[in-house]
Amino acid sequence: MPKLTIDGKEIEVPGGLTVLQACELAGVEIPRFCYHERLSVAGNCRMCLVEMGQAPKPIASCAMPAGDGMVIRTDTPVVKKARQGVMEFLLINHPLDCPICDQGGECDLQDQAMAFGVDHSRYQENKRAVPEKYMGPLIKTIMTRCIHCTRCIRFATEIAGVEEMGALNRGGHVEITTLEKAIDSELSGNLIDVCPVGALTSRPYAFTARSWELRKTNSVDALDAVGSNIRVDARGREVMRVLPRLHEDVNEEWISDKTRYACDGLARQRLDRPYLRKDGRLRPVSWDEAFRAIAARLDGLDGGKIAALAGDLCDAESMLALKDLMAALGSPHLDCRQDGAKIGAKIGGAGPRAGYLFNTTIAGIERADAALLVGTNPRHEATLVNARLRKRFLMGGFRVGLIGAPCDLSYPVDTLGAGPETLSELAAGTGAFAEVLTAAERPMIVLGMAALARPDGAAVLHLARALAEKFGMIGEDWNGFNLLHGAAARVGGLDLGFLPGDGGRDRDGILDGVHGGDIEVVYLLGADEIDMARLGPNAQEGAFVIYQGHHGDAGAHRADVILPGAAYTEKNGTYVNTEGRVQLGRLAVSPPGEARADWTILRALSEVVGQRLPYDDLGALRQRLVAVNPVFAAVDRVEAAPWGEFGEQGKLDGAPFGVAVENYYMTDPISRASETMASCAEVFGSGRAGEATGTDG
Amino acid sequence: MATGLRDKIEEVAGRYPNRRSAIMPALYLAQAEHAQLSGEVLLEVADILDVPEIWVYELATFYDMFHTEPVGTFHIQVCTNISCLLLEAEGIVAHLESRLGIERGDTTPDGLFTLSTAECLGSCDTAPVMQVNYAFHENLSERRIDEILENLRGAVGE
C-alpha cells in the first residue's frame, strides 16, 4: 500500500494504481482525454500532466505507477502552464464548431478547455481538415474534430474484440479509420461514448436534440435479458436516445447497439388506440367498446377454454395481473415461454430457481476458469454477457468450448460439436474438453435457448444438470450452472409462476388446443414470436385473440381485439434479468394516444368481466408480487439460488442445436419497427460487412 | 500476385514469434516486388500473414520508407535536417528541382525520379547528404549532383 502526498495531503492507496487514480482517490480532479479506466493506458494526450517530487519536468499521471513516498502537486503554476500548453496544442487543429457539434454541451474537450485552457487562441495558420470516414449506419464521423486519443481504437480492439480500427499516417497527419467499413460489433455504439470530442457521434441522433433540453430518466433495458442499466433521454413525449448507466455487476458502462439504437422504433408502428375486428377488419373503437366485446365473448365461457401467453418484453406487474385475472376466470392455461423452452417445472411453479437462472452471475464470469457454451451465441443473445466472457478471456487462462452452431464470439472458442450427442459424450467424460473441465477449479456451463426450446429440451436440461454436477460446477461458493435467457420478461414470468397451472396447457398445448377447438379465447400479452397461423385464420375458424401490446406486429395483425399498452420506456415496471436480478424500469415518457400502462388495462378489464382484481395502485400490485414470490422484494440484489432437481430424463434428439437469434437487429416488436435496426440488418445481415474487402468488387 | 512473394513472406514470418511481427519485413518484400504498396498489395500482405488489414495499413502509412504512392525508379531523398541545412541543403533541393523540372514530393513524367526531403540521414560529418534508393551520396555540391543524375540516367540507358 504505497503512501503518497498529493497537494500536501497524505494518502495511502492500493498497490498497482497510477498517480492519476491516486489523485482521484484523494479527491483531486485530473483532466484527461486518452485515459479511460476500462481501457489500456496510452499516455498520448498529455492532458494529465502533474508535478512529481524532484522530477525536472511534469509527468503524465495516467502512465506513472503510484509509488511509496511520491510527492505529487497538481496545483502549481508549472502544472497550470503545462495544461494550458497541452490544451493549446489540442485546439490547434480542432475546429471551433461547438455550436453545430452534437457533442456540444457534453464534450470533454469543451468542458476541459473551459476549466483548464486559456481564453484566446494565438494560432493564425490554417487548421487541418480531415475527410469524413464511413463507419456504418450507427456512427457519424467528423474526423476534423478528432484529437487522436485512440480511445476508439483501444475500445474496438480490447472490449469489442474487433481489429478493424486503426490510425493511419504519423504525427500531424494521423487519421483514425476503419478502412471505410462498418464496424462489425454489437458494441460499436459505445465508441461514441468513449470519444471525448465530437469526432464520433450517433448517426441516428444527429442534429435532433441538445443534451440540456432532454429529460433524463434512469431505467433498465428490456430488449434482452441482461437488464442493462440505461438512461432514457426524452424531449416532450419522444425518446430521443438511450445511454448506458454504470452498473459494475451487469453492463459495466457499456450497452449493446440494440439497446442504444432501437429507440426510434418506439415512435413507429405504435398501437395508440383500441381496435376491434368487425367484418374481418380492425376498426378503431373506444376502450369501453373493446372491453365490452371481450366481456361478451367471455360471458358464459368455461374458464378452461381461455388461455394466455406472455411475450418477451412484459413487466412482471402486468404478467401477475394477467395471471390473477386468468385464475379468476378459471383458466390454468398460461405460459410465458413463447419460444417453447422446456424450463420450469411442468406443473405448479417453476421448480428450483437455480434451474433457470444464470447462477454464476455476469460479474461472476470473471472468477470462472473454463466455460462450456451449449446451443448459444451470447454475442447475439446477450451481448454484454459476451463482453464479460471476452473480458475474462483477456485475463488469461480461460478455455471456452462450444456445442452448437459455430459462431465468432470475439475470443477463441473450441467448437466441440453440434448437438446433444456431443453433450452426452462430454457428460460421460470423453473428449479433450472433459479434461479442461476436470482441471478447472470453477468451470461454468451456459445453456442457450436454442438448446432448450426443442422437443427434447427438458432432457438436455437434465443432462446439462448432470454434467454440471459431474464436473464440480456446483460448490459451496460457486455455481457454474447457467441459463442464458434472451427475453427480458422470462425470468420474471418464471418467478411469478406465469406457467401452466394444475391441468394447464403450455404453449404447444394451447396452440394445439386452438386447432382442436378446446381453446376458444387466447390472450396475448405482448406475445409476437409465436406462430400466429396456429391460432387459426379468424375468430370463427380459430381462437378469439385478444392482443395487448404496444406495436402493430404479428400479434396485432391476427388480433380480434387490440388493447394498446405501454412500451418499456413508458411504464414503471419490474424486470428480472437472466441472473435473477430484480430491477425497476421507470416511466420516461407517457404512452402514446390512448395507450395505457399494461397492468392498469388488465385491472380495468377485470372489472368489466366481473372479476375485479384486488389492487388499485402500483404499490398494492407490488405487494402482491412480493407475496407471490419474495424475490421481488430484493431489488438489485442477487442471492444464490438453492440447487435442486430439474429437467427430465428422456431421449435425446439427434438434431443439432439451432440458433436462437437469427437476426440480432430484429428480435422484438420494437427493434423490428426501428429504421436504424433495419439499416443495420441490411448492412450486417446478409454477408457480414467485414467480409467485403476492396478487392471484392 | 506471384506465388514467389507468398513463399518469401512465409519464410520470413517463420523467423518471428508471431505473425504481426512479420508485417514490416513482409512489406519490404512486397515493395521490392511491386515498387509501390498499393491498397491491393497491402490487402495481399494481410491475407498472406492472416492478420487484420488495418495492422498492415497502419505500418505502411506510418513509415516513410514504405511507399503507398508511386515512386520513380530512383527515389532521391535529400536531408534537410540541421547539419545539412547549415550546409545549404535547401540550395541542393532547389538545384534538383530545377534540374528535374519538378517540385519536392513529385515524380518526373518519365517515372525516373522522385524527389523528396528527409529528416536526418545520420551522416552529418559528410553533409550535405542525399540518398538515392538505398545508396548514400555525400559532400554534395551542384556539380556533383549533375554528375550523379547523369550517371543514373546512363544506368537506365544501358
Side-chain angles (χ1 to χ4, degrees), chain A residues 323 525 542 602 611:
Chain A
K323 184 190 172 199
L525 182 63
L602 287 153
Q611 302 288 349

Side-chain angles (χ1 to χ4, degrees), chain A residues 163 165-170 179 181 693 695, chain B residues 40 43 52-55 57-58 61-62 64:
Chain A
E163 292 282 0
M165 287 192 101
L168 299 188
N169 303 319
R170 189 180 62 205
L179 302 177
K181 283 183 289 191
T693 63
T695 51
Chain B
E40 249 170 67
L43 291 179
E53 292 147 20
I54 188 74
W55 291 359
Y57 268 86
E58 282 183 321
T61 56
F62 185 91
D64 274 346

Side-chain angles (χ1 to χ4, degrees), chain A residues 51-57 59 69-72:
Chain A
E51 255 194 292
M52 179 182 75
Q54 302 303 308
K57 53 183 186 173
I59 56 149
M70 271 184 179
V71 180
I72 303 293

Side-chain angles (χ1 to χ4, degrees), chain A residues 46 62 97 110 120 212 223-224 289 297 300 384 439 448 456 471 483 502 538 562 591 690:
Chain A
R46 315 310 289 178
C62 72
D97 62 349
Q110 206 177 28
H120 64 280
W212 56 85
L223 300 179
D224 61 29
E289 199 179 342
R297 184 67 184 81
L384 286 145
D456 64 347
F471 289 106
L483 256 62
D502 207 0
N538 53 47
I562 294 175

Side-chain angles (χ1 to χ4, degrees), chain A residues 404-416:
Chain A
C407 48
D408 173 14
L409 295 177
S410 75
Y411 43 87
V413 171
D414 302 331
T415 306
L416 308 173

Side-chain angles (χ1 to χ4, degrees), chain A residues 37-350:
Chain A
E37 57 266 31
R38 285 173 215 281
L39 304 175
S40 62
V41 171
N44 55 11
C45 78
R46 315 310 289 178
M47 194 63 204
C48 64
L49 294 176
V50 297
E51 255 194 292
M52 179 182 75
Q54 302 303 308
K57 53 183 186 173
I59 56 149
S61 60
C62 72
M64 175 68 72
D68 203 34
M70 271 184 179
V71 180
I72 303 293
R73 297 226 60 110
T74 70
D75 52 1
T76 60
V78 170
V79 173
K80 184 162 192 259
K81 199 172 165 216
R83 286 172 178 172
Q84 286 181 343
V86 169
M87 183 56 78
E88 202 170 2
F89 272 119
L90 286 174
L91 291 177
I92 278 182
N93 278 320
H94 190 84
L96 300 180
D97 62 349
C98 306
I100 57 149
C101 174
D102 260 327
Q103 193 87 352
E106 48 185 2
C107 172
D108 289 355
L109 187 61
Q110 206 177 28
D111 295 347
Q112 293 182 32
M114 281 290 289
F116 304 103
V118 286
D119 57 355
H120 64 280
S121 170
R122 295 182 288 170
Y123 191 69
Q124 307 277 319
E125 292 77 5
N126 280 333
K127 287 173 183 263
R128 89 169 177 150
V130 182
E132 288 181 19
K133 306 281 190 290
Y134 173 75
M135 292 191 186
L138 301 178
I139 295 174
K140 182 184 167 190
T141 66
I142 301 98
M143 296 319 275
T144 304
R145 297 183 187 140
C146 176
I147 58 168
H148 314 119
C149 67
T150 69
R151 274 187 189 179
C152 53
I153 300 177
R154 285 174 284 144
F155 177 86
T157 316
E158 294 164 17
I159 310 279
V162 289
E163 292 282 0
E164 288 175 9
M165 287 192 101
L168 299 188
N169 303 319
R170 189 180 62 205
H173 302 284
V174 164
E175 292 182 26
I176 305 286
T177 181
T178 56
L179 302 177
E180 299 301 300
K181 283 183 289 191
I183 300 164
D184 191 8
S185 167
E186 293 74 25
L187 287 167
S188 67
N190 296 294
L191 288 171
I192 67 182
D193 286 343
V194 299
C195 180
V197 298
L200 306 180
T201 54
S202 169
R203 190 181 281 275
Y205 173 73
F207 305 134
T208 56
R210 282 306 209 176
S211 63
W212 56 85
E213 58 185 7
L214 298 170
R215 198 172 60 249
K216 296 148 178 102
T217 311
N218 290 343
S219 190
V220 293
D221 176 48
L223 300 179
D224 61 29
V226 174
S228 294
N229 284 220
I230 54 170
R231 192 185 89 193
V232 180
D233 283 7
R235 187 178 58 192
R237 298 184 69 159
E238 201 181 342
V239 174
M240 304 304 296
R241 62 175 178 180
V242 171
L243 295 178
R245 195 155 53 86
L246 183 71
H247 195 311
E248 290 292 350
D249 293 334
V250 182
N251 54 311
E252 301 186 268
E253 62 184 85
W254 320 119
I255 50 173
S256 71
D257 286 353
K258 190 161 53 190
T259 302
R260 185 187 300 265
Y261 288 111
C263 61
D264 64 328
L266 292 167
R268 294 195 174 84
Q269 298 277 323
R270 288 305 300 266
L271 301 170
D272 56 359
R273 57 196 308 178
Y275 288 86
L276 179 62
R277 196 176 290 276
K278 293 179 188 167
D279 309 324
R281 297 202 55 173
L282 285 167
R283 313 267 180 202
V285 293
S286 67
W287 275 106
D288 191 44
E289 199 179 342
F291 282 165
R292 274 190 284 115
I294 296 171
R297 184 67 184 81
L298 293 181
D299 190 35
L301 187 69
D302 173 31
K305 293 190 177 263
I306 311 171
L309 290 166
D312 293 346
L313 305 177
C314 299
D315 54 307
E317 286 85 351
S318 61
M319 283 188 285
L320 179 60
L322 181 55
K323 184 190 172 199
D324 285 347
L325 179 61
M326 296 304 285
L329 292 169
S331 164
H333 312 307
L334 301 176
D335 206 341
C336 65
R337 302 160 299 185
Q338 59 169 341
D339 58 358
K342 301 284 186 288
I343 44 177
K346 264 200 339 210
I347 303 166

Side-chain angles (χ1 to χ4, degrees), chain A residues 374-375 403-405 416-428 447 450-452 454-457 459-461 463-464 467 650-658:
Chain A
V374 182
I403 302 176
L416 308 173
E421 72 286 348
T422 315
L423 189 66
S424 333
E425 282 164 24
L426 194 56
L447 281 169
L452 302 171
R454 43 191 269 143
D456 64 347
V460 172
L461 185 65
L463 180 61
L467 182 143
K651 199 173 168 309
L652 291 168
D653 206 323
F657 297 132

Side-chain angles (χ1 to χ4, degrees), chain A residues 331-379:
Chain A
S331 164
H333 312 307
L334 301 176
D335 206 341
C336 65
R337 302 160 299 185
Q338 59 169 341
D339 58 358
K342 301 284 186 288
I343 44 177
K346 264 200 339 210
I347 303 166
R353 217 170 169 235
Y356 57 86
L357 291 188
F358 199 93
N359 295 293
T360 302
T361 73
I362 296 171
I365 292 171
E366 291 179 30
R367 291 172 61 217
D369 47 10
L372 175 65
L373 310 179
V374 182
T376 183
N377 176 347
R379 185 168 169 176

